[in-house]
């Protein structure tokens, strides 16, 4: 049935697909292999909990993990309600062609493309100086919140829009108010999307360096309040690799921890999506 | 009020849950009710942006009767139904003009309490639209929204409404399971139970059987017949045999030059046996439409 030229085309296509796969997989495998090779031997509970010494060349990353956690908490605590509110506004209270909706969507698209260093400078000017928050975990978290909002809003809005219009119409036909429809029908149905949006935003914030350099600062002591400066994981890696001679080995191990955390975050996003779809699927 | 009196003996399948076995054509359609107008449309026109979907419809619908709306696709039947509970308000670019009276009250008036209106007028869509939650939650949401909070009352209302649609025995052991796990016919009956749980006066049914197999369709049809006298039912159907079986009154809509119009309206036997309009006779004999 297959003519020879067809078989050749087939082989060529297969070859191309595999080349593409290899090209994409290689850097990832290389990177992980590299990190594991240089970082794994140092990774221990002790490294994760202990205090960095000698500018980070020795010791661990305990306070840095705590600062990172706090920055992320501030970021998500601020970004989640604002993001959810905006997404609801965009999907439920504006039509696609309405000016307010277009304006907000347009600005979000622009914001999503702004380099993170610009967010860093903005955060420094606005939160650190204008609002007088100084170099602090609070400034860093707020800056990151601004940065993850576009991606968060877009994902959450999509998950609201994915709910069929039928559901809204049947709710309205039952005399259920719009507020109650959102609260009892749309929100529960959109929860997986909302969670995935938050987790993706969190992942993006976690991997961020440039936006934090000028806002949360470098201090690697254990933070005692949100007004303390605190060093995030990515900044720690950057500092060890660029500014501290002999810091490479600890930089590798820290990077391993960061990649591990990002992996966990992304896996949990897909786990939630999967869990939720099977939950809502017909168990006929 | 004495409509319900006079029709009380005409509820053949109300006592027991309707099943397919008990299905039979309903013959004595014309004597269902004392004619008394429940709903009235005067000069109703519906426009979608620039497109006139329905023009100058004047239609009176009698209390406690089953009125079937028939006509080819796109002639504005769904639009007409959605204007009765003002669901057209939710459709972008849709404008309704004219007067719509329910019990002589103009529901197009500004400051009409839409939540109350929609509680009074239940609607079932062409495709079953259960909420993606458990069967129980599907019924609880509208009840709670209309102020019922007591667990015992909730449970008994849920049971009654499921029994009304003959679904109770099929689902009583799985009330907490997702409603999407039900078959299409069961979902449609759940939607009907959900609309009826609020005890509306008028039920709008938009092709309730079109997505169903003949057996489920028979069950739903039986159920609709059992509502005669207690509810004013307006049903859209493409199935003329069905209209013949269940309807007391029939209204034929037609898109003339793309504009939907009411062509003829009257008691079912008149429409089917001696139609006045040539379009009607062509449609019911199957030569057009
Ligand atoms: N949301 C909408 N926006 C624009 N035009 C619409 C909309 N809904 C319906 N229409 C138009 O209005 C006319 C009537 O539509 P409607 O859905 O009421 O017809 P129908 O009689 O219910 O048809 P069917 O039997 O196929 O369900 C059609 O020409 C359709 O294109
Ligand atoms: Mg329709």
């Amino acid at each position: 049935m297959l003519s020879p030229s067809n078989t050749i085309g087939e082989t060529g296509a297969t070859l191309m697909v595999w080349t593409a796969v290899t090209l994409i997989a290689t850097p990832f495998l290389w990177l992980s292999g590299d990190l594991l090779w240089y970082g794994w031997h140092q990774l221990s509970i002790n490294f994760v909990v202990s205090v960095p010494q000698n500018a980070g060349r020795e010791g661990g990353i305990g306070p840095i993990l705590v600062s990172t956690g706090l920055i992320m908490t501030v970021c998500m605590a601020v970004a989640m309600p604002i993001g959810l509110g905006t997404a609801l506004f965009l999907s439920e209270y504006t039509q696609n062609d309405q000016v307010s909706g277009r304006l907000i969507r347009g600005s979000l698209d622009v914001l999503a493309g702004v380099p993170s260093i610009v967010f860093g400078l903005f955060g420094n000017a606005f939160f650190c100086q204008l609002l007088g928050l100084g170099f602090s975990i609070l400034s860093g978290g707020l800056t990151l919140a601004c940065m993850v909002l576009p991606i968060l809003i877009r994902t959450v809005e999509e998950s609201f829009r994915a709910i069929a219009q039928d559901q809204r119409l049947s709710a309205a036909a039952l005399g259920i108010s719009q507020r109650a429809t959102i609260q009892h029908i749309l929100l529960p149905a959109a929860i997986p999307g909302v969670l995935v949006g938050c987790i993706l935003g969190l992942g993006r914030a976690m991997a961020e360096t440039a936006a934090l350099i000028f806002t949360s600062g470098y201090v690697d002591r254990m933070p005692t309040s949100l007004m303390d400066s605190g060093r995030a994981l990515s900044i720690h890696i950057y500092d060890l690799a660029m500014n501290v001679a002999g810091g490479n080995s600890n930089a590798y191990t820290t990077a391993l921890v960061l990649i591990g955390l990002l992996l966990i975050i992304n896996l949990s996003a897909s786990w939630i999506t999967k869990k939720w779809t099977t939950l809502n699927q017909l168990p006929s | 009020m004495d409509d319900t009196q006079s029709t009380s003996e005409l509820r053949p399948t109300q006592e027991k849950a309707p099943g397919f076995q008990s299905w039979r054509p309903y013959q004595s359609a014309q004597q269902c009710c004392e004619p008394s107008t429940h709903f009235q449309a005067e000069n109703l026109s519906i426009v979608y942006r620039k497109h006139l979907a329905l023009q100058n419809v004047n239609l009176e619908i009698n209390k406690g009767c089953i009125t079937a709306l028939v006509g080819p696709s796109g002639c504005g039947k769904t639009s007409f139904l959605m204007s009765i509970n003002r669901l057209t308000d939710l459709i972008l670019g849709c404008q309704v003009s004219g007067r719509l009276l329910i019990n002589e009250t103009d529901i197009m008036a500004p400051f009409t309490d839409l939540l109350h209106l929609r509680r009074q007028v239940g609607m079932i869509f062409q495709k079953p639209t259960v909420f993606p939650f458990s069967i129980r939650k599907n019924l609880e949401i509208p009840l709670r929204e209309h102020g019922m909070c007591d667990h015992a009352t909730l449970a008994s209302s849920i049971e009654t409404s499921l029994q009304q649609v003959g679904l109770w025995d099929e689902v009583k052991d799985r009330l907490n399971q997702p409603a999407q796990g039900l078959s299409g016919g069961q979902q449609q009956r759940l939607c009907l139970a959900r609309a009826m749980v609020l005890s509306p006066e008028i039920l709008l049914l938009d092709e309730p059987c079109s997505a169903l197999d003949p057996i489920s369709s028979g069950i739903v049809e039986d159920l609709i017949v059992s509502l005669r006298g207690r509810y004013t039912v307006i049903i859209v159907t493409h199935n003329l045999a069905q209209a013949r079986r269940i309807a007391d009154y029939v209204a034929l809509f037609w898109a003339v030059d793309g504009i939907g119009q009411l062509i003829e309206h009257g008691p079912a036997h008149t429409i089917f046996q001696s139609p006045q309009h040539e379009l009607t006779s062509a449609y019911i004999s199957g030569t057009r439409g």
Side-chain angles (χ1 to χ4, degrees), chain A residues 30-225:
Chain A
W30 192 326
L31 197 144
S32 338
D34 202 41
L35 285 180
L36 283 172
W37 184 261
Y38 291 107
W40 181 257
H41 64 98
Q42 274 202 80
L43 189 61
S44 64
I45 295 290
N46 200 30
F47 179 81
V48 172
V49 297
S50 64
V51 177
Q53 282 157 7
N54 194 4
R57 289 181 193 92
E58 289 151 36
I61 53 169
I64 287 148
L65 272 178
V66 172
S67 300
T68 311
L70 287 176
I71 294 173
M72 294 306 131
T73 313
V74 170
C75 166
M76 291 326 278
V78 173
M80 253 160 65
I82 299 182
L84 191 59
T86 318
L88 269 174
F89 175 76
L90 285 176
S91 76
E92 304 305 316
Y93 292 94
T94 62
Q95 262 77 47
N96 263 324
D97 52 350
Q98 221 165 319
V99 182
S100 57
R102 272 220 305 262
L103 208 69
I104 297 179
R105 276 198 202 89
S107 355
L108 286 178
D109 287 346
V110 173
L111 278 184
V114 167
S116 52
I117 186 78
V118 176
F119 276 104
L121 292 173
F122 161 76
N124 182 274
F126 187 69
F127 296 119
C128 302
Q129 293 176 21
L130 196 66
L131 298 189
L133 300 178
F135 279 84
S136 65
I137 287 173
L138 196 57
S139 304
L142 291 173
T143 310
L144 282 188
C146 297
M147 206 186 74
V148 301
L149 265 178
I151 175 176
L152 187 69
I153 293 172
R154 268 310 167 92
T155 336
V156 177
E157 189 198 344
E158 279 320 310
S159 62
F160 279 111
R161 286 195 184 272
I163 303 174
Q165 189 62 18
D166 296 357
Q167 300 277 329
R168 297 182 182 86
L169 282 182
S170 18
L174 288 165
I176 299 177
S177 65
Q178 186 172 24
R179 186 200 54 74
T181 306
I182 291 174
Q183 184 184 346
H184 297 303
I185 295 162
L186 301 184
L187 264 180
I191 279 182
V194 174
L195 284 180
V196 169
C198 289
I199 287 174
L200 289 178
L202 187 65
R204 167 119 203 251
M206 195 88 146
E208 190 44 52
T209 320
L212 290 177
I213 291 185
F214 307 121
T215 52
S216 65
Y218 285 85
V219 176
D220 61 2
R221 277 191 307 273
M222 184 62 87
T224 52
S225 85

Side-chain angles (χ1 to χ4, degrees), chain A residues 95-97 164-180 184-186 188-189 279-284, chain B residues 49 82 85 87 90-92 115 118-119 121-123 125 127 129-133 137 141-142 145-146 178 180-181 194-195 198:
Chain A
Q95 262 77 47
N96 263 324
D97 52 350
Q165 189 62 18
D166 296 357
Q167 300 277 329
R168 297 182 182 86
L169 282 182
S170 18
L174 288 165
I176 299 177
S177 65
Q178 186 172 24
R179 186 200 54 74
H184 297 303
I185 295 162
L186 301 184
L279 234 169
N280 279 337
Q281 222 128 58
L282 331 171
S284 43
Chain B
R49 295 188 194 273
M82 302 229 293
N85 59 359
L87 229 47
L90 298 183
I91 295 171
L92 192 62
L115 300 188
R118 289 174 187 158
R119 184 185 170 158
V121 183
M123 178 159 186
F125 298 85
K127 219 175 80 206
T129 49
V130 296
F131 298 135
F133 311 120
K137 190 121 190 278
I141 289 175
E145 181 61 15
H146 291 283
Q180 298 111 305
R194 195 175 62 185
L198 298 173

Side-chain angles (χ1 to χ4, degrees), chain B residues 177-196:
Chain B
Q177 286 176 25
Q180 298 111 305
L182 297 172
S183 76
Q186 289 172 324
Q187 289 190 23
Q188 193 62 293
R189 280 186 286 156
L190 179 61
C191 290
L192 203 49
R194 195 175 62 185
M196 282 171 25

Side-chain angles (χ1 to χ4, degrees), chain B residues 21-280:
Chain B
Q21 285 75 13
S22 68
W23 175 85
R24 62 194 160 347
Y26 206 87
Q27 321 92 335
S28 52
Q30 61 272 47
Q31 44 174 284
C32 76
C33 42
E34 291 292 317
S36 89
T37 305
H38 195 178
F39 167 78
Q40 191 175 2
E42 285 176 9
N43 280 326
L44 175 75
S45 296
I46 299 176
V47 180
Y48 291 104
R49 295 188 194 273
K50 296 263 156 52
H51 172 68
L52 189 54
L54 206 57
Q55 190 178 34
N56 278 343
V57 171
N58 289 289
L59 183 60
E60 281 182 23
I61 284 176
N62 283 338
K63 203 183 189 89
C65 298
I66 300 176
T67 303
L69 309 184
V70 297
S73 200
C75 62
K77 305 180 297 290
T78 301
S79 311
F80 179 72
L81 279 196
M82 302 229 293
S83 68
I84 301 178
N85 59 359
R86 286 192 52 185
L87 229 47
T88 38
D89 287 18
L90 298 183
I91 295 171
L92 192 62
C94 178
Q95 283 186 333
V96 181
S97 58
R99 264 157 53 96
L100 292 172
L101 306 168
I102 292 182
N103 293 329
E104 323 246 290
T105 316
D106 188 359
I107 58 161
M108 297 294 290
F111 308 115
T112 302
D113 180 355
L114 288 184
L115 300 188
H116 176 76
L117 168 71
R118 289 174 187 158
R119 184 185 170 158
Q120 207 180 356
V121 183
M123 178 159 186
I124 308 294
F125 298 85
Q126 181 165 358
K127 219 175 80 206
T129 49
V130 296
F131 298 135
F133 311 120
S134 69
I135 299 171
R136 187 198 303 281
K137 190 121 190 278
N138 261 278
L139 296 166
E140 254 180 25
I141 289 175
L143 282 174
R144 281 183 190 278
E145 181 61 15
H146 291 283
M148 189 185 285
C149 306
D150 175 50
H151 279 280
T153 337
L154 275 174
S156 77
S157 301
I158 289 174
E159 182 176 341
T160 320
S161 67
L162 285 174
Q163 258 162 358
Q164 265 187 323
V165 299
L167 204 54
W168 175 250
D169 290 328
E170 289 162 58
V171 302
K172 61 171 185 260
D173 303 321
R174 47 196 278 211
L175 285 178
N176 292 323
Q177 286 176 25
Q180 298 111 305
L182 297 172
S183 76
Q186 289 172 324
Q187 289 190 23
Q188 193 62 293
R189 280 186 286 156
L190 179 61
C191 290
L192 203 49
R194 195 175 62 185
M196 282 171 25
V197 86
L198 298 173
S199 339
E201 298 171 16
I202 301 182
L203 268 177
L204 311 174
L205 312 176
D206 194 355
E207 302 181 45
C209 300
S210 65
L212 308 184
D213 69 281
I215 296 195
S216 316
S217 163
I219 297 176
V220 171
E221 199 176 298
D222 261 353
L223 178 63
I224 296 168
V225 169
S226 76
L227 304 178
R228 190 194 309 270
R230 290 179 295 156
Y231 296 85
T232 302
V233 177
I234 307 178
I235 177 174
V236 171
T237 176
H238 278 291
N239 183 339
L240 282 177
Q242 186 179 55
R244 219 184 269 264
R245 283 194 297 268
I246 67 176
D248 306 305
Y249 293 92
V250 174
L252 177 79
F253 285 71
W254 202 277
V256 182
D257 301 326
I259 299 171
Q261 285 168 12
L262 175 64
I263 300 295
E264 191 170 351
H265 170 230
H269 59 99
T270 323
I271 296 279
F272 283 117
Q273 273 142 36
S274 48
Q276 304 295 307
H277 200 287
E278 54 182 303
L279 276 176
T280 318

